[in-house]
Amino acid sequence: MKKKIALIFGVTGQDGSYLSRFLLKKNYVVHGVKRRSSSLNTDRIDDIYQEPWIGNKKFILHYGDITDSNSVSKVINEVLPDEVYNLAAQSHVGVSFMIPEYTSNSTGLGSLRILETIRNLKKKKNIKYYQAGSSELFGSSKQKKKNEKTIFHPRSPYAVAKLYSHWITINYREAYNIFACNGILFNHESPKRGETFVTKKIVRALCRIKKNKQKTLYIGNLNAKRDWGHAEDYVEAMWKMLQKKKPDDYVIATGKQYTVKQFINITAKKLGISLKWEKKGKFYLAKNKKNNNIIVKQDRKYFRAAEVDDLLGDSSKARKQLNWRPKRDFNKLIEEMVVEEMKFLN
Ligand code: NAP
Ligand code: G4F
């Protein structure tokens, strides 16, 4: 049987690296688009990549950029995949307040460039499209458990750009009959998570503090609540959406939420550090009970111009229609992140 071909934009990111592995196990030929950078950006996929002259024809990389229509069109027309996964984005919410125009161009218009290419293929093919949507779309929506019917209220340039991508995906599905799905994914983490997202930042800092390589973790809003899952579980949901008979949109979440402060407390406990929280002026700090050293300190720098306080997902539609459910819980996720970080430090 002919092997299926997948093309992943954002292959070098956390999800791109897990999705590549997942699809290779499913016997796909996987093509990935990486952008040119002055330092290497392929750490997360180096172990599955081999130069083509060595013989690996199952995982192939191409240069490209979703802000560059020509490169997007060229790679899709050349590869002619069965499935395209658009995971490429300026994906940091906090940073999107600093580079809103670039965020809109990549996180917003990137999807349009891919969809336009699929619509205008030189050689006709029914390519299926996955759009990496986000629970950030819900923003300050008051509904406690968010599902596919919850009203959106984006709170950052990132979320507004994702809102454009969400609707342009639906529009191309309705207008041109393209098999296009939005995954509305709640936060998902892993040892491969980018260093400036809060979970990885906390795990890395507390492990380094444990090893006497760092003194303090500087942090922003401790009260934000997130529904945190594991990236490896979530990439399976992306694939499942594209295997359905009809394209649709799905919320992917664990249905449990924790605060940033709880994430810090549990991680510290796993490392045998006992914390004592105090308020100093407007901000909180936490001391190591053992020696009174200040380990965690709030810093104005890490607060956002507009915050999303409360994210909790209801993924019953995906559980029923895709037969998807998360395999790892919150504790397992932190455990794995701590173990991998300690290995890295050792
Ligand atoms: P990530 O680790 O930040 O990866 C983003 C990927 O996009 C990287 O491969 C990055 O390349 C690439 N990229 C950025 N700008 C690009 C451009 N102009 N052209 C081509 N590629 C570009 O993000 P992630 O956590 O894997 O998330 C994957 C997708 O899901 C993103 O769209 C994100 O917004 C969305 N999402 C993530 C979560 C989550 O909790 N992780 C939840 C909901 C939605 P470099 O490696 O060169 O930077
Ligand atoms: O880890 P975060 O930066 O993730 P955020 O903003 O929820 O966005 C992530 O999840 C979205 C899905 O909901 C994705 F679409 C998006 O691409 C990304 O993957 O921050 C989580 C919370 C926020 O409330 C933030 O204000 O942690 C709070 N926080 C507190 N101190 C901090 C920090 N966040 C970061 N990054 N760094 C801090 O020092």
Side-chain angles (χ1 to χ4, degrees):
M1 211 171 80
K2 222 176 145 218
K3 282 187 178 181
K4 275 199 185 172
I5 303 169
L7 175 62
I8 304 175
F9 286 87
V11 72
T12 54
Q14 170 188 253
D15 291 5
S17 67
Y18 279 108
L19 181 63
S20 301
R21 281 173 181 76
F22 177 85
L23 294 173
L24 286 169
K25 273 197 202 136
K26 291 244 168 249
N27 217 17
Y28 277 60
V29 174
V30 178
H31 292 255
V33 178
K34 63 168 181 173
R35 55 183 175 160
R36 199 269 159 184
S37 61
S38 63
S39 1
L40 289 181
N41 57 359
T42 54
D43 283 18
R44 294 185 178 103
I45 47 172
D46 279 342
D47 57 319
I48 50 172
Y49 180 71
Q50 272 187 324
E51 297 295 350
W53 54 86
I54 301 174
N56 183 352
K57 298 217 173 69
K58 289 183 194 149
F59 186 58
I60 300 137
L61 295 179
H62 307 257
Y63 278 110
D65 196 302
I66 41 154
T67 62
D68 172 7
S69 307
N70 283 326
S71 71
V72 169
S73 164
K74 187 167 175 278
V75 73
I76 296 176
N77 275 295
E78 219 170 85
V79 171
L80 268 185
D82 298 287
E83 296 166 9
V84 171
Y85 295 85
N86 178 24
L87 313 180
Q90 190 302 91
S91 72
H92 200 285
V93 175
V95 172
S96 77
F97 288 99
M98 292 153 209
I99 47 170
E101 187 179 330
Y102 175 72
T103 304
S104 308
N105 194 1
S106 54
T107 310
L109 289 176
S111 52
L112 176 70
R113 294 186 181 100
I114 299 174
L115 285 162
E116 262 297 281
T117 306
I118 293 177
R119 180 166 90 86
N120 294 308
L121 282 177
K122 288 177 188 144
K123 197 175 160 201
K124 278 279 158 253
K125 185 164 181 179
N126 290 327
I127 296 181
K128 294 182 178 180
Y129 176 76
Y130 172 82
Q131 170 57 30
S134 166
S135 51
E136 281 290 308
L137 295 176
F138 299 120
S140 59
S141 152
K142 292 282 166 285
Q143 191 175 320
K144 183 65 188 168
K145 272 197 138 188
K146 278 97 175 148
N147 62 29
E148 294 79 4
K149 294 194 174 117
T150 306
I151 289 170
F152 298 135
H153 186 146
R155 294 268 289 166
S156 62
Y158 167 83
V160 174
K162 283 285 183 194
L163 186 67
Y164 174 82
S165 280
H166 179 85
W167 280 109
I168 201 69
T169 301
I170 294 175
N171 181 247
Y172 271 55
R173 179 165 82 210
E174 292 174 356
Y176 307 116
N177 209 17
I178 293 175
F179 192 111
C181 300
N182 285 297
I184 307 171
L185 271 54
F186 281 65
N187 298 51
H188 45 280
E189 319 293 313
S190 73
K192 294 186 193 298
R193 185 59 145 151
E195 287 158 29
T196 58
F197 295 97
V198 80
T199 56
K200 181 74 171 188
K201 181 174 163 181
I202 293 168
V203 169
R204 174 153 290 181
L206 292 180
C207 288
R208 286 173 61 82
I209 289 167
K210 179 77 184 174
K211 289 255 169 205
N212 290 322
K213 287 177 189 286
Q214 183 173 333
K215 284 206 168 111
T216 314
L217 158 68
Y218 292 94
I219 200 91
N221 182 6
L222 290 166
N223 299 323
K225 293 180 188 147
R226 288 291 180 275
D227 179 330
W228 278 297
H230 195 297
E232 198 172 356
D233 292 343
Y234 284 39
V235 299
E236 184 184 6
M238 298 175 187
W239 174 78
K240 285 194 158 195
M241 286 176 213
L242 297 197
Q243 311 316 308
K244 290 291 288 181
K245 279 218 169 83
K246 277 189 178 165
D248 206 344
D249 309 319
Y250 296 91
V251 160
I252 301 297
T254 69
K256 296 207 172 91
Q257 65 174 184
Y258 298 86
T259 61
V260 171
K261 189 175 176 186
Q262 282 173 310
F263 195 103
I264 296 175
N265 284 334
I266 296 172
T267 309
K269 203 169 165 203
K270 287 202 186 292
L271 287 161
I273 305 171
S274 197
L275 295 176
K276 184 172 66 180
W277 290 92
E278 290 173 15
K279 197 170 183 193
K280 266 260 157 74
K282 276 191 193 162
F283 297 118
Y284 283 88
L285 55 82
K287 289 180 177 164
N288 187 342
K289 270 190 190 163
K290 209 164 112 191
N291 52 21
N292 252 0
N293 285 345
I294 296 175
I295 288 188
V296 188
K297 222 174 168 183
Q298 274 191 313
D299 189 317
R300 195 185 303 278
K301 185 177 158 194
Y302 297 108
F303 284 80
R304 290 171 184 176
E307 178 61 287
V308 173
D309 296 313
D310 192 338
L311 285 180
L312 178 62
D314 167 10
S315 59
S316 10
K317 180 176 168 186
R319 288 172 198 237
K320 202 167 157 207
Q321 294 186 14
L322 302 178
N323 193 23
W324 174 87
R325 44 198 39 77
K327 296 185 181 103
R328 299 167 186 79
D329 68 7
F330 186 66
N331 259 295
K332 263 205 187 125
L333 168 70
I334 301 186
E335 185 78 36
E336 189 185 330
M337 289 179 78
V338 167
V339 167
E340 289 304 314
E341 194 58 39
M342 280 309 220
K343 265 193 216 159
F344 172 76
L345 287 177
N346 285 332

